[in-house]
Amino acid sequence: MPLVRNTSFFVGSSESVCLVGESGSGKTVTALAIMGLLPLSFRIKSGSILFDGIELARLDQNKLNRIRGRRLSMVFQEPMTALNPVFTIGSQIKEGIAAHERLTSKELNRRTLDILERVGMPDPQTAFNAYPHELSGGLRQRAMIAMALSCHPDMLIADEPTTALDVSLQAHILGLLSELRRGSGLALLFITHNLGVVAQVAERVIIVYAGKIVEEAGVFDLFDSPLHPYTKGLLESIPYFKDGSGGVDRERRLKSIPGNIPPLEAIPHGCPFQDRCGEVMDVCRRIEPTEVSTGRAHKVACHLYG
């Protein structure tokens, strides 16, 4: 049973693309497939993953290891399980740099401290010598981001990298990623369910549901003119703010999308969103919609269009 189906997209140099959807929609599986880090029980049945003209889906591990971490890097969703508990933060970051670059011990230490400082670590030297369990969730997340950026990759996949961070640090990390994109041409695939973050970081947005892309558009088009009922539901679930006051409008009731993403073995025939959609039609239960273009690089997979 496929977890991700008919999924096709690209990320250009210096471009920031956000992959958005609820938990269980296939975002992380897509990222792990790109990185060649799928669990052993998973496999890529068909398709192609191209990185700067290199076919990653059929690349042997030795060649993939020369790309992964150096040119293509990832910030994982849960830093406590991604970091090795028996090695210090500094040694783990240095190991990644040493695998791709020939530097002296002094140069490795300096590079590691510099990147820890750059991602906003309050005391880089203390973090350098600390073990993962000695840091808070937010500091561990910063260490993960530092590790991913330590070799100056061409592309970064960030799987909800600001989830464990407070608002001020979240803004700092998003600003750092934007600075890197502008300064070094870093391509960014940002995975999140937080549409507030999407508005800050994305140039283009891809909405996924039950392992399939349902809408893709530029960030302004998506927020101004959402097309798919699922996208509309996501946007309507954002808290409203009172004009001029800066506070949340508690008198306006938030809308919610009824139900949950269907389990893999129970995805219905036709449109996978049909049981949660307020605009469902008979054709939705019979035929799975295909992606159509509505102009201005705005694409949607829904029987309401095309």
Side-chain angles (χ1 to χ4, degrees):
M1 185 68 71
L3 291 175
V4 177
R5 314 167 281 128
N6 304 323
T7 295
S8 179
F9 63 91
F10 70 92
V11 182
S13 177
S14 300
E15 187 180 22
S16 176
V17 175
C18 275
L19 205 59
V20 182
E22 294 171 272
S23 297
S25 58
K27 307 185 301 297
T28 297
V29 171
T30 300
L32 292 176
I34 295 170
M35 293 294 297
L37 294 174
L38 286 171
L40 292 177
S41 58
F42 290 45
R43 67 187 179 92
I44 299 173
K45 187 176 180 180
S46 63
S48 177
I49 302 172
L50 288 175
F51 174 72
D52 196 21
I54 303 169
E55 176 55 77
L56 298 181
R58 287 174 284 278
L59 203 63
D60 68 67
Q61 283 299 313
N62 288 332
K63 291 180 179 179
L64 184 59
N65 286 337
R66 289 199 287 270
I67 295 173
R68 191 167 51 202
R70 176 65 185 92
R71 299 190 61 199
L72 178 63
S73 195
M74 181 171 177
V75 179
F76 295 93
Q77 189 171 10
E78 180 44 65
M80 196 56 194
T81 56
L83 293 168
N84 193 319
V86 300
F87 292 102
T88 63
I89 297 298
S91 64
Q92 293 186 63
I93 296 176
K94 287 196 299 180
E95 181 183 18
I97 300 172
H100 299 284
E101 299 183 39
R102 292 185 177 181
L103 300 176
T104 65
S105 178
K106 185 176 181 180
E107 289 170 332
L108 283 172
N109 289 343
R110 184 68 262 162
R111 169 83 75 85
T112 302
L113 288 170
D114 284 345
I115 194 65
L116 285 171
E117 182 177 1
R118 194 172 187 187
V119 299
M121 194 68 77
D123 187 345
Q125 187 63 60
T126 299
F128 182 96
N129 296 315
Y131 290 89
H133 72 273
E134 296 178 302
L135 301 179
S136 68
L139 293 183
R140 287 195 294 266
Q141 189 68 285
R142 271 179 269 190
M144 278 295 307
I145 294 170
M147 189 181 300
L149 296 175
S150 61
C151 289
H152 311 298
D154 299 319
M155 180 175 178
L156 177 68
I157 300 174
D159 191 359
E160 303 199 24
T162 59
T163 298
L165 307 181
D166 59 52
V167 176
S168 59
L169 184 55
Q170 175 179 286
H172 174 82
I173 293 300
L174 295 179
L176 172 62
L177 293 176
S178 296
E179 176 190 330
L180 288 168
R181 285 198 305 109
R182 290 192 299 268
S184 62
L186 177 74
L188 177 64
L189 178 61
F190 198 101
I191 298 171
T192 185
H193 60 264
N194 186 335
L195 287 168
V197 170
V198 170
Q200 296 179 61
V201 76
E203 294 174 328
R204 189 157 44 87
V205 186
I206 298 169
I207 307 293
V208 293
Y209 183 82
K212 182 182 177 182
I213 294 176
V214 296
E215 187 165 359
E216 180 179 349
V219 64
F220 296 113
D221 278 348
L222 190 94
F223 276 81
D224 289 342
S225 306
L227 300 179
H228 199 281
Y230 179 58
T231 309
K232 294 176 183 177
L234 291 176
L235 291 171
E236 288 171 351
S237 66
I238 300 175
Y240 296 95
F241 290 87
K242 293 181 178 179
D243 293 338
S245 68
V248 176
D249 187 349
R250 302 185 185 278
E251 296 177 3
R252 297 185 66 177
R253 187 176 181 85
L254 283 180
K255 294 184 180 180
S256 62
I257 304 173
N260 298 293
I261 291 180
L264 192 63
E265 68 277 4
I267 293 178
H269 183 71
C271 176
F273 189 61
Q274 59 182 268
D275 293 334
R276 306 177 69 190
C277 182
E279 301 180 69
V280 64
M281 302 176 290
D282 180 61
V283 67
C284 303
R285 303 192 186 281
R286 294 186 287 107
I287 303 171
E288 186 171 20
T290 56
E291 191 176 69
V292 296
S293 177
T294 63
R296 295 179 300 172
H298 199 151
K299 296 182 284 188
V300 63
C302 180
H303 289 302
L304 292 170
Y305 308 92

